[in-house]
Amino acid sequence: MDAIWLTGAEWLAVLRIGLGLWWLESWRHKDRKAWFERGTGIAWAAGIAAKHRWNAVRSGFEVMVAPRPRTMAYVVVYAELAIGLGLVLGFLSPVALVGGLLLNVLYFTLMIHEVAEQGQNSMMALMSVVALFGMSWQTWSLDSALGLF
């Protein structure tokens, strides 16, 4: 594979790290006090799920998320942090990439009516797939340094 400036493996590491920074920014800009104490994030998602055109989304939200809003707020917020750190540091990268992909698919499905959300989540999902199948943890990662994967 020919590449300019960096090797192909290094460009894949750049992609992995950039995706991790995107997840960290998603975590950083969340008002955690509002999410944890007032439940704003889950309440916002509940409003969207309640009006969703797909019954599976509405009923799935009611079964999985609505009964435990505080727990789910912590899951969402700290999953974004864990994915971001995992990708930036290159630690357990395949796990972080699959977790991020699943979270993007969930976000994409919930926000199917929002064009901006569709674009962001589809691009992040694409980056996850490329970084996963390109084995982006081979360069500039703790996974590589520790001989994982």
Side-chain angles (χ1 to χ4, degrees):
M1 168 198 270
D2 291 329
I4 298 172
W5 192 38
L6 301 173
T7 67
E10 289 169 340
W11 279 119
L12 286 168
V14 168
L15 180 71
R16 184 197 78 235
I17 293 165
L19 179 59
L21 291 171
W22 199 343
W23 279 112
L24 287 176
E25 175 56 21
S26 181
W27 173 81
R28 187 196 65 79
H29 83 260
K30 278 189 175 38
D31 181 347
R32 286 177 286 289
K33 185 173 183 171
W35 270 70
F36 299 151
E37 294 177 14
R38 296 190 308 274
T40 57
I42 300 301
W44 170 76
I48 293 167
K51 297 180 277 183
H52 206 281
R53 65 177 150 190
W54 297 338
N55 187 46
V57 172
R58 289 191 307 272
S59 61
F61 194 92
E62 287 301 316
V63 170
M64 295 300 296
V65 181
R68 49 191 79 75
R70 186 176 174 97
T71 300
M72 295 309 286
Y74 279 93
V75 168
V76 168
V77 170
Y78 288 110
E80 290 183 359
L81 175 62
I83 291 165
L85 289 174
L87 295 177
V88 168
L89 299 173
F91 183 65
L92 301 176
S93 303
V95 175
L97 288 164
V98 169
L101 178 60
L102 292 174
L103 206 51
N104 282 129
V105 169
L106 286 171
Y107 291 171
F108 183 89
T109 303
L110 179 63
M111 301 299 296
I112 200 74
H113 305 297
E114 295 288 328
V115 175
E117 286 289 327
Q118 289 176 352
Q120 172 176 311
N121 288 295
S122 61
M123 289 303 98
M124 290 176 82
L126 176 61
M127 291 169 71
S128 293
V129 169
V130 170
L132 181 65
F133 289 108
M135 298 172 60
S136 63
W137 53 88
Q138 295 179 69
T139 302
W140 302 339
S141 72
L142 290 174
D143 292 334
S144 178
L146 297 171
L148 301 176
F149 307 104

